[in-house]
Amino acid sequence: MERARGQRVVTRFLVVVWLVCLALWITRHHFETVDHPAEATKASLHADVLRGDAPDPYQYKLELISHVLEGLRGVTGLPLVAIWFLNTLLSSLALVFAHHAWLRTYVGLRGALVGAFVLAALTTVWFRGYQHHPYELWGLALTCVLMRGVQRDWPLWSLAALGLVTGTVWEKHALVPAADGLWRLSRQKPFLPTLLRGFVVLVACVAVPVVLRLVLDAGLDGPRTAVDGDTTLERQRWELVLWHQVPYVLPFFLTLLMSWRKQPGWVRSLWIALPLLALAYLSQRFILHETRSFVFLAPVFTATVAIALSPFG
């Protein structure tokens, strides 16, 4: 018994080492691919946000995180690029551990590690052409916690509180209550309580982004000029959509289909985010070929693979 307990301690220690090192790899990759090459562009956008001169959506999405990072810069005296590095390191650590907890809802340690390596591999395409959004890894980490909370049937108030907090750094987590509603209805939960529950969590998820936009528009003499929103169907770069998104989505979608009966209902329901995101981008006339626009799906993809390979885990 003592030997088994000692083995578990060693295994957990190794898992922690692997996760920390994965976070360090992600941080290094982000710094060498994004922060350092795009330092001047990011610094210019950071200054524009602080002055209130950044275009839509960056003024709204970067408002809170930019002021937090600038405050840390003033307190520590570190250069801005060092603050970005620390932000990426801490958010990468938060992501890999929150993601691990999400996968451990369904699979063992080895299966969760497989999912962690898949997550790290996906960052190689997220960071291509990526020059902003220092909040995104924080948002994805908190979304992993929110997904786990839904699966574990946390109280409504805790899901709403978590959705509200996540809204300070992200907005795509608002897809979670939609998937939760689908999952609950598939389990024949009462319609009206399900609708009310979804509405409460959805409002909590979007409250901060909506209020922030209204407050900034009132204080900045009107909405910011949009840098996107004019890409009609005819203007979409469909060759890039195929080149970028098919390799990103197809292997995971095929894995879902081939292991459909094995996949838990909550994971299957989360796949509704794929058409919802695509329809949202099309309706808003946003470009579809940026892989990082679908970063919300990453923990859904990794869970699908980890569960499909669960005898291994």
Side-chain angles (χ1 to χ4, degrees):
M1 188 174 179
E2 289 296 328
R3 182 177 180 182
R5 186 181 296 112
Q7 185 60 46
R8 286 196 297 270
V9 171
V10 170
T11 300
R12 289 170 181 168
F13 172 75
L14 288 174
V15 168
V16 170
V17 170
W18 271 111
L19 294 179
V20 169
C21 288
L22 280 175
L24 292 174
W25 295 348
I26 293 171
T27 301
R28 176 189 171 187
H29 180 49
H30 193 277
F31 181 79
E32 294 179 352
T33 307
V34 180
D35 292 336
H36 183 63
E39 181 178 352
T41 303
K42 290 187 56 151
S44 176
L45 180 59
H46 179 76
D48 287 345
V49 172
L50 295 179
R51 289 195 305 269
D53 294 335
D56 182 358
Y58 306 133
Q59 184 66 53
Y60 308 105
K61 290 188 173 185
L62 292 169
E63 175 73 16
L64 294 179
I65 190 70
S66 293
H67 281 87
V68 169
L69 296 181
E70 186 64 21
L72 290 174
R73 182 185 180 188
V75 170
T76 62
L78 293 172
L80 187 57
V81 69
I83 295 295
W84 287 333
F85 180 86
L86 289 175
N87 177 72
T88 303
L89 174 60
L90 294 175
S91 59
S92 296
L93 285 167
L95 174 58
V96 296
F97 279 95
H99 176 262
H100 182 76
W102 155 240
L103 293 188
R104 289 286 283 129
T105 306
Y106 294 112
V107 299
L109 285 175
R110 287 181 293 177
L113 272 180
V114 169
F117 279 105
V118 175
L119 178 72
L122 291 176
T123 64
T124 63
V125 293
W126 296 348
F127 299 159
R128 301 292 297 175
Y130 175 104
Q131 295 181 357
H132 40 266
H133 299 351
Y135 57 80
E136 202 148 48
L137 298 183
W138 290 114
L140 191 58
L142 289 169
T143 298
C144 287
V145 179
L146 185 60
M147 290 177 179
R148 179 179 169 87
V150 170
Q151 195 282 332
R152 291 296 181 94
D153 201 23
W154 286 2
L156 178 59
W157 69 265
S158 62
L159 295 177
L162 182 56
L164 187 69
V165 171
T166 308
T168 63
V169 289
W170 220 28
E171 76 288 337
K172 291 184 176 68
H173 67 300
L175 292 162
V176 172
D180 181 28
L182 178 63
W183 184 42
R184 292 178 69 84
L185 291 176
S186 71
R187 293 182 292 156
Q188 300 183 335
K189 297 291 185 179
F191 178 77
L192 287 179
T194 295
L195 184 65
L196 179 61
R197 169 191 169 97
F199 178 76
V200 169
V201 179
L202 177 63
V203 169
C205 288
V206 302
V208 173
V210 169
V211 170
L212 183 63
R213 178 175 285 266
L214 293 174
V215 169
L216 287 176
D217 284 348
L220 298 175
D221 301 322
R224 305 293 86 196
T225 302
V227 296
D228 204 348
D230 60 351
T231 308
T232 60
L233 283 174
E234 297 77 16
R235 298 182 65 182
Q236 291 285 351
R237 298 285 304 277
W238 292 110
E239 74 282 3
L240 291 183
V241 174
L242 293 174
W243 177 238
H244 293 179
Q245 302 294 11
V246 170
Y248 182 64
V249 174
L250 182 60
F252 302 104
F253 184 65
L254 290 178
T255 301
L256 171 71
L257 294 180
M258 295 177 69
S259 60
W260 182 261
R261 292 185 177 181
K262 194 175 184 180
Q263 297 294 329
W266 177 222
V267 174
R268 293 200 300 261
S269 297
L270 281 166
W271 274 86
I272 193 65
L274 177 59
L276 289 180
L277 278 171
L279 289 172
Y281 282 119
L282 286 172
S283 66
Q284 296 297 313
R285 297 185 175 183
F286 291 166
I287 58 177
L288 286 174
H289 63 264
E290 285 189 332
T291 307
R292 63 183 174 81
S293 297
F294 294 85
V295 69
F296 171 90
L297 291 164
V300 184
F301 290 168
T302 57
T304 300
V305 169
I307 292 164
L309 300 176
S310 58
F312 175 76

